[in-house]
Amino acid sequence: MSKHIFIAFCCTSLLIFHTGCGAQVSQKPVLNDSEITLDTTTVDGQEYYLLTTSEDLNAIGEIYPLSGNYMLANDITMSGEWTPIGNSENPFTGIFDGNGYTIDSLMATPEANGFFGVAKDAVIRNVILENANFDGFFPMVHHSTETEIEGCSINAETQTQKEPKHL
């Protein structure tokens, strides 16, 4: 009998250790294109989701797909700490067009290594970050592969890269 109790104890311990004492980690589901409720516009044959709030911007990669095409529809003032768009496991692969509008008051922690963390085969253009608050080096894109970066600026320092950047 004690052998069965010991086995049950070990199995229960493993289960609790693996699940964190019953705590479940919930991950927000990323919507597919047919489920996104943002307004859209079409420019040069490309459809873009229009971003109008800081919540919309923060939702890229959390709720909205990293493969989407996004365009700012107005100036956006940020609040809270910034989490870069895309990472090495899930890079941004769409188009992001700032459309001449400004993203104001972005606050980056030392862990935030860029506005975009990782971009692959993406287009990032006309993104203007003003009054961005960060310590040290803060690029528009931390790591990119086959990505076009054009007409972007952080606190009025222009960043343009037409040739793919390979790191």
Side-chain angles (χ1 to χ4, degrees):
M1 179 73 170
S2 63
K3 184 178 185 180
H4 293 289
I5 293 172
F6 177 74
I7 291 172
F9 173 77
C10 289
C11 291
T12 304
S13 298
L14 270 172
L15 183 61
I16 289 172
F17 176 77
H18 181 71
T19 62
C21 298
Q24 294 182 358
V25 177
S26 64
Q27 186 175 15
K28 296 177 186 175
V30 175
L31 301 177
N32 62 45
D33 287 340
S34 65
E35 298 173 312
I36 297 175
T37 59
L38 296 172
D39 289 337
T40 61
T41 189
T42 302
V43 176
D44 295 331
Q46 288 283 353
E47 185 174 39
Y48 293 86
Y49 295 109
L50 297 175
L51 305 173
T52 59
T53 67
S54 61
E55 290 82 10
D56 292 342
L57 193 54
N58 282 316
I60 298 172
E62 292 294 321
I63 298 172
Y64 305 139
L66 290 164
S67 60
N69 297 337
Y70 302 97
M71 181 180 285
L72 296 184
N74 52 259
D75 292 335
I76 295 177
T77 300
M78 300 300 293
S79 63
E81 295 178 343
W82 179 248
T83 299
I85 299 169
N87 58 46
S88 57
E89 291 86 31
N90 298 299
F92 179 75
T93 59
I95 300 172
F96 190 101
D97 191 334
N99 197 25
Y101 290 106
T102 300
I103 300 169
D104 190 53
S105 302
L106 183 90
M107 178 183 279
T109 65
E111 296 80 31
N113 51 15
F115 185 68
F116 288 85
V118 178
K120 181 179 180 185
D121 299 320
V123 176
I124 299 165
R125 62 177 167 247
N126 307 317
V127 179
I128 302 168
L129 302 180
E130 286 297 331
N131 302 308
N133 184 356
F134 54 89
D135 290 327
F137 182 65
F138 187 82
M140 186 62 63
V141 182
H142 181 260
H143 179 80
S144 63
T145 305
E146 301 293 327
T147 293
E148 180 182 325
I149 303 166
E150 184 174 13
C152 298
S153 68
I154 299 175
N155 296 337
E157 186 177 317
T158 302
Q159 300 180 1
T160 296
Q161 176 196 326
K162 291 188 180 182
E163 293 297 316
K165 182 178 180 182
H166 301 281
L167 297 176

